[in-house]
Amino acid sequence: MKGDLLLFLISIVLPRVHGMVNLTCVSCPLGNTKCGANCTDLGIACATLEEVNTLGGSVSPNGSYQGCIDQQHCRPLAFTLTTAPGRHVQSNMACCSTDMCNEELNLSVPPVGTLENGVFCPACESYNQKQCEIKSHIACTGTEEKCIILAGESIASANQSFAIKGCATKNACSLLQNDLVPFGGKIYKLTVNATCTDRGVLSMISSPGIIFSSLAGVLLVQNLS
Ligand SMILES: *[C@@H]1O[C@H](CO)[C@@H](O)[C@H](O)[C@H]1NC(C)=O
Ligand SMILES: *[C@@H]1O[C@H](CO)[C@@H](O)[C@H](O)[C@H]1NC(C)=O
Ligand SMILES: *[C@@H]1O[C@H](CO)[C@@H](O)[C@H](O)[C@H]1NC(C)=O
Ligand SMILES: *[C@@H]1O[C@H](CO)[C@@H](O)[C@H](O)[C@H]1NC(C)=O
Ligand SMILES: *[C@@H]1O[C@H](CO)[C@@H](O)[C@H](O)[C@H]1NC(C)=O
Ligand SMILES: *[C@@H]1O[C@H](CO)[C@@H](O)[C@H](O)[C@H]1NC(C)=O
């Protein structure tokens, strides 16, 4: 009897001590036309990721993704990034830890400002490549004041990958390996930590009428720092 009681106590106390309770979450693909079977596992959180993107025109869906996520990769974060004029990703993710709680997580995405902020970043996008080659530099807008590099693999199929360089809000720089990010209508898991730099602040150059190359901006910033 004593042994049974001890076992019983261990079985209810241990999982909680280690945060290992069996949690069940709503699981729906991006766009949410039809949800799949609920996901259940130990050591997870329920997540909802809301995204709007203008990358794929009318073919890549906006909306929310819901599912189970490793507790340690739940990074509640709202950010935007831009890879070319008019090509943005707006994302907001949150997690919770009671059964089916992500059904009730209604998130809105942060806006992308339209006013240029003086920061210029190297920019590119690629699908199914680990890196992308810089084809141009873009003028960042609004609160996107960091130059970012991201790369990841689709959570649906590990051999679909993406890589981007562009402008991003500062908090996107805290994205780490295995965090979830939306891109072009799919959800990806980052394969590397986000890399951010400050680049090419052309407003520091006080010669109106002269267009400095972004490289000049890079050299200037490096000389000052
Ligand atoms: C957690 O749930 C799964 C699926 O329902 C089940 O197979 C597993 O035994 C459960 N684990 C615990 C520790 O309750
Ligand atoms: C998910 O779980 C809820 C609550 O237990 C249940 O009502 C619903 O039918 C489940 N959904 C699916 C697709 O199994
Ligand atoms: C997603 O939302 C953006 C911004 O509102 C819009 O431009 C784009 O066409 C939408 N995409 C789809 C597939 O509806
Ligand atoms: C969240 O959205 C769902 C579906 O649109 C709705 O059923 C639910 O009531 C909303 N919850 C809150 C807290 O607004
Ligand atoms: C991804 O893998 C699947 C099978 O695992 C294969 O059919 C498909 O061609 C692969 N796609 C790419 C882009 O390599
Ligand atoms: C990613 O960032 C985390 C937290 O800052 C750090 O512990 C880890 O070593 C980094 N990974 C790589 C590959 O740099």
Side-chain angles (χ1 to χ4, degrees), residues 15 20-24 40-42:
M20 296 297 250
V21 286
N22 230 354
L23 195 62
T24 300
T40 294
D41 211 343
L42 299 172

Side-chain angles (χ1 to χ4, degrees), residues 40-55:
T40 294
D41 211 343
L42 299 172
I44 56 149
C46 299
T48 294
L49 189 160
E50 186 76 28
E51 67 96 39
V52 168
N53 80 91
T54 51
L55 297 172

